[in-house]
Amino acid sequence: MRHRRLSTVFAIIVLTAASMGAAAPTAQPDLDSAVVQLMTARSQADGSRLAAAGAGTEVNVQRRSPRGDWVFGSSVIKAPNVEGAYPEGWLFVAQRTAAGWKAGLDGTPEFAALAQQAPASVVSDGEKRTFAANTKAQTQAQAAPTGLSLPYPQGASWKIIGGPHGWSGQPRPWSSIDLDSRASDRSVLAAQSGRAYWVCSNGGHIRIIHDNGWTTEYYHLLNEIRPNGTQLKMGDYLGLTSTRIPCGGSAGSNHVHFALKSGSSWVALQDKTIGGWTYFEGSSAYGGGARRGTTTRYVGDWIQNYGPETGGGRTFENAANVDVADLGQGESPITVTGVPGNAPATLSVYADVHHGWRGDLQLDLVSPTGVVYRLRDPAPDDDGTIIHETYTKNAADSPANGTWRLRVKDVDSNHSGYIDAWSLTF
C-alpha cells in the first residue's frame, strides 16, 4: 500500500509540472540544439571558422510565453581569447511545434516571419514595427550616408586606434573600427535611435537595430546598460570603453569595437559616411582612416563627431526652364532647407540640359557659400544634343542648407539651349 502511494504522488508531481509549463527543461536542450545549428550554419556560410575554434556557445533565453512554446533571446558563438577574434552573436525567435523547435536568426526572413507571429509577451508590437521597418529599409541602406552618428558625444573627438577591419580582424568585409576617448569621459553612446539588445550573457556586447535598415554593434563595454528591446534615442548611454571580453576575443587598451551591419550581414565601411566622416580602407586591416572634405584622418588621429549629417536621402528639384544663350550662361537655383550640418561626401546631382551641341557646355554646381564643383568639362567633339547625367560630388565642406545653383556655360559659338530640370539628393 505504501508503494502505491509513492507511485501516486510521483504521478501527481509529473502531471503538475507539465501543466505548469515545466516541459521546458526537457525541451531546452532541443531549443539549444536548434539555435546552435542555425548559428553554426550561418557562420560557416559567411566563411567564418569561429565555430570550429571550439570556444563554446550560448543560447540566452530572455523572454518566454506563459505556455513556454515561444521564446526570444540572444545566441553567441564565443571567440577564443586571441587577438583579432570576436564572438558572433544573433537575436533569435523560436516556436515549439509538434516537430520540434522552429527558430530564426535576426536579419533573416525566418526571423521576420516568426517575430510577426509571436505573442506580444515575447515580441512586442513596437519591436515588430522596428523589425519590419529595418527589413524594408535594407534595400535602401547601401547608400554611403548612413544616417548614423559616431558612438560618442557630438562635438567630441576620439582617437581611431584601429581603422576599418573585420568584425573578427582580418576577414572581410571590413565593417568595424576601434575608437578610444581622449578624456576622462569614456561613455559610449547610441549612434542613432533604435531598439537595443544585450547579446552576451555576461554583458559588454550591445546591438541596436535602427529603423533605417542599419544595425550597429558595440563590444568591450563596461558598466553597460542591459537593454531587452529598449527603445533608445541617438546619444543615449550604452556603457564605457574598456578591455572587457565577455564572450571572448582580446583588447590591449580601453576602446569600443564599433561595427556596421545591414540585416544579418556585416557591411564594409569603405565609402560609408558616419558622424560626418567617410571611411576608407588601408592596404591591410586596421589601416586606412576617414575623410571629411579636404581633411583626412589616419589611424592614431582624432576625429570629431559631427553627427548623422545626411538629410535622410532627401531630394530637391527645380523643373523650371532656364535659357542658355549662345556664348552665354544660365543658372538654375534650388533652395535646400531642413538638412542638418554639411552636405554629404556623396552629394548626387542630376542634370537635364538640352543644347544644339552639348560639347560646347561646361556644367558647375555652386554651393550656398560660393564653392564651385565642376560637373562636366566642354568636349568639342561631342555633337549630342541632350545631357541626362548624374554626378556624385564630395560637398562635405559646404553647408547643406541654402541656395545651390546649377551653372551652365556655353563656351563656343553657333548653338544655344536650356536647362530643362535638375535635382540634388542628399
Side-chain angles (χ1 to χ4, degrees):
M1 186 67 176
R2 185 179 180 182
H3 175 74
R4 289 177 60 191
R5 286 177 179 173
L6 287 174
S7 300
T8 302
V9 171
F10 177 74
I12 292 172
I13 291 173
V14 172
L15 289 173
T16 303
S19 66
M20 295 177 64
T26 58
Q28 181 66 19
D30 295 334
L31 172 64
D32 289 354
S33 299
V35 175
V36 168
Q37 185 177 358
L38 283 178
M39 286 196 300
T40 303
R42 179 58 201 243
S43 178
Q44 292 174 343
D46 289 341
S48 171
R49 299 178 181 177
L50 190 61
T57 60
E58 291 183 357
V59 178
N60 307 309
V61 175
Q62 299 173 15
R63 306 174 208 155
R64 188 188 300 273
S65 66
R67 295 178 56 189
D69 54 345
W70 283 91
V71 295
F72 177 92
S74 63
S75 55
V76 182
I77 300 177
K78 295 182 178 180
N81 296 333
V82 297
E83 184 177 357
Y86 279 85
E88 296 174 359
W90 293 267
L91 302 178
F92 72 88
V93 179
Q95 178 189 21
R96 187 173 59 205
T97 69
W101 285 96
K102 178 181 179 182
L105 303 179
D106 64 319
T108 67
E110 293 79 10
F111 177 89
L114 286 168
Q116 292 302 315
Q117 298 167 24
S121 60
V122 175
V123 180
S124 72
D125 291 341
E127 287 176 300
K128 292 178 182 182
R129 289 192 292 271
T130 295
F131 297 151
N134 180 274
T135 301
K136 182 178 180 181
Q138 284 170 23
T139 57
Q140 305 168 1
Q142 299 306 313
T146 61
L148 299 173
S149 176
L150 283 163
Y152 48 90
Q154 290 192 38
S157 295
W158 282 24
K159 181 185 287 188
I160 308 177
I161 66 170
H165 56 280
W167 174 254
S168 288
Q170 298 291 335
R172 290 183 179 274
W174 291 349
S175 61
S176 311
I177 51 176
D178 293 334
L179 300 160
D180 191 17
S181 171
R182 71 189 304 176
S184 58
D185 184 4
R186 294 158 35 210
S187 298
V188 178
L189 310 179
Q192 188 48 272
S193 60
R195 291 193 179 271
Y197 299 86
W198 59 271
V199 181
C200 295
S201 61
N202 291 328
H205 183 181
I206 290 176
R207 171 171 302 164
I208 303 180
I209 298 176
H210 308 285
D211 287 346
N212 64 359
W214 296 112
T215 294
T216 48
E217 207 98 348
Y218 312 76
Y219 194 60
H220 301 309
L221 299 179
L222 173 70
N223 293 342
E224 71 281 4
I225 64 173
R226 196 65 175 256
N228 189 354
T230 308
Q231 181 70 54
L232 299 180
K233 303 186 300 297
M234 183 177 68
D236 280 353
Y237 173 87
L238 301 180
L240 302 176
T241 60
S242 78
T243 58
R244 289 185 68 209
I245 50 174
C247 277
S250 68
S253 63
N254 290 335
H255 70 278
V256 60
H257 186 62
F258 175 64
L260 183 67
K261 295 178 95 173
S262 178
S264 59
S265 300
W266 300 111
V267 176
L269 290 176
Q270 174 72 32
D271 295 329
K272 297 293 183 296
T273 301
I274 299 175
W277 296 86
T278 302
Y279 301 85
F280 61 90
E281 297 177 354
S283 58
S284 59
Y286 298 95
R291 295 189 180 94
R292 177 179 171 83
T294 58
T295 303
T296 301
R297 295 284 187 264
Y298 297 95
V299 174
D301 290 336
W302 304 93
I303 59 172
Q304 180 176 339
N305 180 15
Y306 290 93
E309 287 198 65
T310 70
R314 294 177 59 189
T315 297
F316 299 82
E317 182 181 21
N318 187 342
N321 288 0
V322 175
D323 290 335
V324 180
D326 189 17
L327 292 175
Q329 73 177 30
E331 290 188 353
S332 177
I334 288 177
T335 299
V336 175
T337 60
V339 179
N342 283 9
T346 54
L347 180 63
S348 178
V349 186
Y350 172 72
D352 180 353
V353 181
H354 298 242
H355 190 269
W357 191 286
R358 68 182 183 186
D360 291 352
L361 300 180
Q362 174 182 302
L363 273 62
D364 292 296
L365 175 68
V366 185
S367 79
T369 56
V371 178
V372 178
Y373 302 94
R374 177 61 48 83
L375 303 178
R376 192 180 204 274
D377 288 312
D381 294 331
D382 185 352
D383 62 354
T385 59
I386 298 176
I387 296 174
H388 285 168
E389 295 176 350
T390 300
Y391 312 91
T392 300
K393 303 303 295 184
N394 182 349
D397 53 353
S398 295
N401 291 333
T403 300
W404 297 76
R405 290 171 290 154
L406 175 65
R407 178 183 295 164
V408 179
K409 183 177 182 180
D410 186 345
V411 302
D412 207 347
S413 58
N414 299 324
H415 299 91
S416 62
Y418 62 96
I419 302 171
D420 187 48
W422 74 291
S423 66
L424 292 169
T425 300
F426 289 79

